[in-house]
Amino acid sequence: MSVKVSRETLQELTTGWLAQDLDAWTRHVLRRHFDPEQGSDYWLKKRSELDFDPLEITRYEELSAFDNFDLAELRDLDPADFVPHSVPRPLAGRVWESGGTTGKPCRVFYTEAMAQHWAAWRHLGRHMAGFTEGGVWIDACPSGPHLVGEEADHLADMYGSMVYSIDLDPRWIKTLIRGGRLAEMQEYVDHVVEQIVDILDTRQVDYLRTTPATVQALINQRPELMSKLRGVYLGGTQFTPDAYRKFAEAMPDGVIGMTYGNTFGNANGMPSPDGGRTLPYVPNFPHTTMTIVDRDDESRVVDYGEVGRVRLMVLHEDLFLPNVLERDQAIRFDTGDDWPCDGVANVQPLQVSTDKPEGLY
């Protein structure tokens, strides 16, 4: 899924998207997926079951007419069913999977346009965080069926970076946790950290891209190596203010970049307004929006500063998933005049149990 376009092109794309009118974009996406001739098979079939006409929706807020999308549909159906026929057939590209740590993985097909969207927003996120181009990276993240693994190629292709890749299997480590095999889990953590240390011991590395849990394990084992880094770029579902403070202390003057999301929709970390007590993210507008709703009454959007459940709206031209209730909670964050949508902050799992362990990712 390597995207061969210039950094300037990616920047022009995000600038254009941020200027989009969300109501107009909503109408555009619905017309594309519900077009009688060129729409997506899933939504054309679903149209007959709806008690409203999706093509009569004119405003983003009216998407609440759709039920919460059941991600189980993405486990059992052909990913091609969700891609409009305006995308030429046969489809050629990658099918990406969700983590698959609480059941069978969900699968979506990424069109060329979606791949470019993802790359463009990632580029903007790295720029916002303060990472410089070039340099040497260690990329210790899930690969294989996981979209996040593509970023190693993006760093090399678009940032002119030298990248060392280390695989991380979130499904296996969470299987170990669920089975109570904690000694084996620690062995796996040590296995990942050992590979990172081997590179850090042998040459100068500028940046490490991995998960907060992996960084914490590195600090515990080899704090002197952590202190030499110029920055860490963090993914996964949970990064706490306490972890932010520890990482900042372990890496003086280092850059801490963040991402939040999954295969369906993502958000870039924003600068913390209060020294790390609040860790905000802004979604990849207009392809992704995130709303914080009351955990007991999902029809109510909470006030700014209030905690609630994350509801994701996926509005790609080639993938439409309305009202996805995530397994996360967060603070509704006011992004001010600089951004056209709400943000989320201090994301953490909605429920913590042995059935839904966090592990390394």
Side-chain angles (χ1 to χ4, degrees):
M1 199 186 78
S2 183
V3 178
K4 302 291 186 180
V5 297
S6 68
R7 293 188 294 273
E8 291 74 20
T9 297
L10 295 181
Q11 184 173 347
E12 290 173 1
L13 288 172
T14 51
T15 299
W17 292 328
L18 289 170
Q20 284 281 347
D21 177 82
L22 188 54
D23 291 336
W25 183 260
T26 298
R27 294 191 294 270
H28 169 66
V29 170
L30 291 176
R31 285 197 301 268
R32 187 170 171 89
H33 283 272
F34 286 95
D35 181 273
E37 301 297 328
Q38 296 292 315
S40 54
D41 290 336
Y42 176 84
W43 287 111
L44 290 177
K45 179 180 179 181
K46 202 75 172 176
R47 184 175 183 178
S48 63
E49 304 173 14
L50 301 175
D51 58 4
F52 62 94
D53 185 353
L55 293 179
E56 292 182 356
I57 286 179
T58 60
R59 296 184 298 113
Y60 170 80
E61 287 76 10
E62 295 173 15
L63 292 173
S64 61
F66 287 93
D67 291 335
N68 296 330
F69 183 80
D70 184 0
L71 290 179
E73 302 275 50
L74 301 178
R75 296 188 173 107
D76 301 321
L77 298 179
D78 186 340
D81 290 347
F82 293 87
V83 181
H85 280 271
S86 49
V87 178
R89 264 52 174 185
L91 297 176
R94 290 293 302 270
V95 173
W96 298 111
E97 297 185 355
S98 65
T101 55
T102 58
K104 292 168 56 179
C106 301
R107 300 178 177 90
V108 294
F109 178 86
Y110 259 58
T111 64
E112 184 176 347
M114 291 173 65
Q116 193 171 83
H117 296 169
W118 190 81
W121 284 117
R122 281 300 213 242
H123 172 68
L124 178 62
R126 288 190 293 266
H127 177 75
M128 289 168 52
F131 294 104
T132 59
E133 297 174 8
V136 178
W137 288 72
I138 294 176
D139 189 90
C141 285
S143 57
H146 304 285
L147 174 63
V148 68
E150 284 295 292
E151 196 148 357
D153 286 341
H154 293 174
L155 289 169
D157 293 344
M158 296 177 197
Y159 256 44
S161 302
M162 179 180 290
V163 183
Y164 293 82
S165 289
I166 296 169
D167 190 26
L168 191 158
D169 187 347
R171 296 176 184 175
W172 178 239
I173 197 163
K174 291 187 181 185
T175 296
L176 295 177
I177 294 173
R178 280 196 296 269
R181 298 153 64 182
L182 301 186
E184 291 180 62
M185 181 208 71
Q186 188 58 52
E187 287 180 8
Y188 186 83
V189 172
D190 293 342
H191 169 68
V192 172
V193 174
E194 181 182 17
Q195 295 174 77
I196 296 173
V197 166
D198 180 56
I199 299 170
L200 293 176
D201 266 338
T202 56
R203 70 152 305 164
Q204 177 62 42
V205 171
D206 298 295
Y207 302 120
L208 169 64
R209 190 177 81 98
T210 190
T211 68
T214 307
V215 172
Q216 186 59 62
L218 176 63
I219 293 173
N220 293 341
Q221 297 185 29
R222 295 292 300 273
E224 78 283 3
L225 295 179
M226 177 71 181
S227 67
K228 295 179 181 179
L229 292 171
R230 295 174 55 200
V232 291
Y233 192 27
L234 305 167
T237 58
Q238 185 176 18
F239 182 45
T240 65
D242 183 59
Y244 183 96
R245 177 184 58 80
K246 291 178 180 177
F247 293 4
E249 292 174 353
M251 188 182 54
D253 302 318
V255 173
I256 300 177
M258 310 174 296
T259 62
Y260 163 64
N262 51 34
T263 311
F264 322 118
N266 290 275
N268 283 313
M270 301 175 65
S272 174
D274 50 17
R277 291 188 297 276
T278 302
L279 301 175
Y281 303 82
V282 60
N284 296 357
F285 182 91
H287 313 108
T288 299
T289 60
M290 293 176 178
T291 304
I292 305 300
V293 299
D294 190 296
R295 284 169 287 193
D296 299 317
D297 178 11
E298 61 195 48
S299 66
R300 184 183 79 86
V301 176
V302 304
D303 295 330
Y304 287 118
E306 189 177 347
V307 176
R309 187 172 186 176
V310 179
R311 187 173 68 198
L312 175 68
M313 195 77 72
V314 180
L315 289 169
H316 284 291
E317 292 171 300
D318 299 335
L319 181 67
F320 172 55
L321 306 177
N323 304 314
V324 178
L325 285 175
E326 296 282 52
R327 298 194 309 269
D328 304 320
Q329 67 180 37
I331 298 169
R332 185 184 178 198
F333 184 79
D334 186 354
T335 59
D337 296 332
D338 295 333
W339 298 93
C341 60
D342 281 352
V344 301
N346 293 16
V347 180
Q348 60 181 294
L350 186 65
Q351 295 178 336
V352 179
S353 72
T354 55
D355 291 331
K356 297 179 180 179
E358 287 304 297
L360 276 181
Y361 198 73

